[in-house]
Amino acid sequence: MSIAVVGHISSIEAHDLGLVSADGARLPVGMASGTMDVDDLRVQSLRVSPPTRMRPDVVASLVRAGLPAPVHMLVPVRADAFATRRVIPHGWSYVQPWDDLARVEIECPVNVFACPPEMALMQMARGLGVAKTALLVDQVLGTYRACRPEAIESYGQIEGVSIESCTDDCGTATAYGLSPLTTIVRLSNYLDAMAGAPGARSVRRSLPLVADGLASPLEAQTYALAFCSRHTGSLGLPKPLVNHRVEVPIEARGCFGSAFIRPDFWWPEQRVALEVLGVRWHDGAQGIAQTSMREKGYYAMGASCITITEREIRMLSSFEAAMAVLAKLLGVKLRPPTKAFEKMRGQLRTEVLDVRPAR
């Protein structure tokens, strides 16, 4: 019996694009339940080499189904595999439960499966720093993804998803309106179960900087820089609720145009909101008008709202001035920085404010 396992960023894409069966894994005919080993499952059938070692029709089937090429596939660590324009191999021989895998529902000459998002994060985190890993994890925990250039068209065809192209020449884009693929609790439990697997430690170290339900890269950057432990270089402000549904009183609904809102960050006890103003939602005449009405709406519902722009986030003095105002509204004070903290803060900002999607 021969199978193929989609991994790394292609696994995330397979889940987002709806190529994975909702029923999860189903054992192929003739296979017993229990644990799976990559070698035993003959994933080496996907070696990137001549057809005697490689089934190019497998990759072709995945691409026809909408999975962007090059497709990232798992192979045994010892496999004689090389990357091509169509496929990128990743060595993986760690034993894990069979039901980790989910069937990819395509017409294909072999059984094709995708590894879980948690395992994909472990593969993608290898070689990344803590902060960059955290921003990678935030995407899978949240409702947006940084798309590699080859995936932009596929994501643009998902119902309810919108695409924002990168403003520089990197060729990437961000997809908004997706569903979270996991949670911090589920990811943490998975890392406990897979503690010895490659990448598990890297993802574990990033968890103090991540949050469930973030909806944009700017939200993720703001969260890491402001609301995490000072030991990481963050400001250590009280943690907010992220994109939490807040009921709007009747007198304020005219400003919001809705009976409820989802502030980017919300502190219910202090009734304080922080809105991150990205170009996507807040630029142009219409965006400025909507932002102005939302600020009036918060006032009408007896709450305070401060805003911060991408430019302010990137300028240290402006960012910390805005966070000082937020701290005052929350009834706390920012601690004066020590030399050790300034060093950690600089390292964190360098990583957090310069992130690119995995290729």
Side-chain angles (χ1 to χ4, degrees):
M1 178 195 67
S2 182
I3 76 164
V5 180
V6 176
H8 203 266
I9 186 64
S10 292
S11 174
I12 302 295
E13 292 165 349
H15 284 82
D16 284 336
L17 297 172
L19 300 178
V20 174
S21 170
D23 298 331
R26 294 197 300 274
L27 295 179
V29 176
M31 180 175 182
S33 62
T35 60
M36 71 154 221
D37 186 301
V38 168
D39 287 329
D40 291 343
L41 291 180
R42 295 179 57 198
V43 179
Q44 60 263 41
S45 64
L46 281 182
R47 287 178 178 172
V48 184
S49 52
T52 55
R53 295 185 179 181
M54 170 65 182
R55 295 286 298 271
D57 51 343
V58 173
V59 175
S61 296
L62 289 166
V63 173
R64 281 197 302 271
L67 200 60
V71 179
H72 293 251
M73 308 295 297
L74 301 192
V75 299
V77 172
R78 299 178 298 279
D80 182 19
F82 301 93
T84 71
R85 291 185 305 170
R86 300 278 284 178
V87 63
I88 297 177
H90 295 271
W92 188 268
S93 293
Y94 196 81
V95 177
Q96 61 198 99
W98 168 256
D99 58 9
D100 267 0
L101 299 181
R103 184 180 293 274
V104 178
E105 297 289 5
I106 63 171
E107 293 185 6
C108 190
V110 301
N111 294 291
V112 182
F113 299 87
C115 67
E118 297 84 2
M119 180 176 165
L121 286 172
M122 291 161 55
Q123 297 160 11
M124 296 165 70
R126 286 187 265 182
L128 294 181
V130 173
K132 288 190 176 182
T133 301
L135 295 187
L136 182 66
V137 173
D138 278 329
Q139 295 177 46
V140 180
L141 297 172
T143 59
Y144 69 98
R145 310 280 188 270
C147 303
R148 52 184 176 141
E150 302 87 351
I152 295 174
E153 182 178 355
S154 295
Y155 273 91
Q157 296 174 1
I158 303 175
E159 184 177 358
V161 170
S162 54
I163 303 292
E164 179 183 40
S165 299
C166 185
T167 55
D168 57 28
D169 58 356
C170 65
T172 61
T174 302
Y176 296 93
L178 293 155
S179 298
L181 296 180
T182 190
T183 65
I184 292 177
V185 171
R186 182 176 174 181
L187 176 58
S188 181
N189 290 340
Y190 190 89
L191 295 173
D192 289 342
M194 299 280 285
R201 184 171 180 269
S202 296
V203 177
R204 169 68 68 189
R205 292 174 60 202
S206 76
L207 294 188
L209 291 172
V210 306
D212 286 316
L214 293 164
S216 74
L218 282 181
E219 289 182 17
Q221 291 169 334
T222 302
Y223 188 91
L225 294 174
F227 309 130
C228 300
S229 169
R230 287 179 65 87
H231 295 295
T232 65
S234 182
L235 293 178
L237 288 171
K239 290 187 180 295
L241 299 177
V242 176
N243 289 300
H244 181 72
R245 177 177 171 134
V246 178
E247 299 294 330
V248 176
I250 295 176
E251 59 270 21
R253 291 180 183 178
C255 295
F256 290 109
S258 175
F260 71 91
I261 55 173
R262 292 186 181 274
D264 296 339
F265 303 109
W266 174 248
W267 291 263
E269 292 185 7
Q270 297 89 348
R271 296 190 65 75
V272 171
L274 172 64
E275 297 277 8
V276 182
L277 305 186
V279 173
R280 175 174 179 77
W281 303 114
H282 304 279
D283 197 26
Q286 183 177 358
I288 293 172
Q290 290 176 343
T291 299
S292 176
M293 290 299 292
R294 285 178 69 86
E295 290 175 346
K296 295 178 178 68
Y298 281 113
Y299 180 81
M301 60 187 286
S304 300
C305 175
I306 68 169
T307 59
I308 187 167
T309 65
E310 180 176 4
R311 182 177 177 84
E312 289 174 314
I313 293 171
R314 292 188 170 277
M315 297 178 61
L316 177 60
S317 59
S318 298
F319 178 73
E320 297 205 339
M323 293 302 100
V325 174
L326 175 61
K328 184 175 182 180
L329 291 173
L330 296 176
V332 299
K333 290 184 178 181
L334 289 177
R335 291 164 56 183
T338 63
K339 288 187 177 180
F341 175 78
E342 288 178 348
K343 181 178 180 180
M344 290 186 296
R345 179 184 62 188
Q347 293 172 343
L348 181 66
R349 288 181 63 85
T350 297
E351 273 202 86
V352 164
L353 298 177
D354 183 27
V355 175
R356 290 290 183 268
R359 295 298 304 274

